[in-house]
Amino acid sequence: TSPEPTLLPALQLLLWQSVLWMVHEATPLGRARSLPQSFLLKCLEQVRKIQADGAELQERLTSCLNQLHSGLFLYQGLLQALAGISPELAPTLDTLQLDVTDFAYNIWLQMEDLGVAPAVQPTQGTTPTFTSAFQRRAGGVLVASKLQSFLELAYRVLRYLAEP
């Protein structure tokens, strides 16, 4: 499943903010001598508050995207460790691996588009080695269960971010 439809409203807000800021920067304003100093100071205070709120929102979105990507990256490795679980489950496992990889890649691309991607993608940590069919099946149950819980949490977070 692709994250774009659920992330779109929050990300569009950030993009519009960037676009409007660039337009503002490109529009020269003359000195407003007729405006009262108290009004200008209050406006400056409001701008600083809005900038701080915007920075906090961006930080939260970035943190959310980083956590999603890191979790998906972890499950990529765990699913790879299950290779050979059984011939009848191989097609389902392959599809699941592709879906998780695609989701992680889409999150990474969105972070790059927003300019918030870390300089280096995470590297795969140590993944378990299942040496027997029983270990692969037991590991498969655990990985599938934990992946399901992770995706339910990711879904709730993405729905929250998509709310108007």
Side-chain angles (χ1 to χ4, degrees):
T1 309
S2 177
E4 286 88 1
T6 56
L7 283 177
L8 195 55
L11 298 176
Q12 281 179 331
L13 175 65
L14 288 175
L15 292 173
W16 275 110
Q17 178 189 12
S18 299
V19 169
L20 291 174
W21 190 255
M22 288 187 293
V23 168
H24 171 72
E25 291 287 315
T27 307
L29 296 175
R31 303 251 331 144
R33 296 180 195 271
S34 62
L35 296 175
Q37 187 70 17
S38 62
F39 171 76
L40 293 174
L41 291 174
K42 185 174 183 174
C43 288
L44 286 172
E45 180 182 321
Q46 288 176 318
V47 167
R48 282 189 211 106
K49 182 186 180 321
I50 292 169
Q51 284 176 325
D53 291 346
E56 180 182 345
L57 175 62
Q58 184 174 4
E59 184 178 314
R60 285 181 166 185
L61 287 172
T62 300
S63 174
C64 174
L65 292 175
N66 277 328
Q67 288 177 24
L68 280 173
H69 184 265
S70 295
L72 291 166
F73 195 76
L74 169 71
Y75 283 105
Q76 282 177 300
L78 292 172
L79 291 169
Q80 287 172 356
L82 296 174
I85 189 169
S86 74
E88 63 272 2
L89 292 177
T92 303
L93 181 60
D94 290 344
T95 300
L96 188 56
Q97 282 180 293
L98 289 172
D99 288 344
V100 168
T101 299
D102 185 48
F103 191 13
Y105 180 71
N106 285 332
I107 295 289
W108 183 262
L109 286 178
Q110 194 63 62
M111 290 176 6
E112 281 185 336
D113 287 348
L114 292 170
V116 296
V120 177
Q121 283 203 33
T123 56
Q124 192 68 51
T126 305
T127 56
T129 303
F130 301 113
T131 56
S132 70
F134 173 77
Q135 285 180 347
R136 277 191 291 283
R137 286 188 191 109
V141 169
L142 292 173
V143 169
S145 173
K146 295 297 182 184
L147 176 60
Q148 186 66 28
S149 296
F150 172 79
L151 291 174
E152 288 171 3
L153 178 61
Y155 181 78
R156 285 195 308 267
V157 168
L158 292 171
R159 280 195 65 208
Y160 173 77
L161 292 174
E163 289 178 1

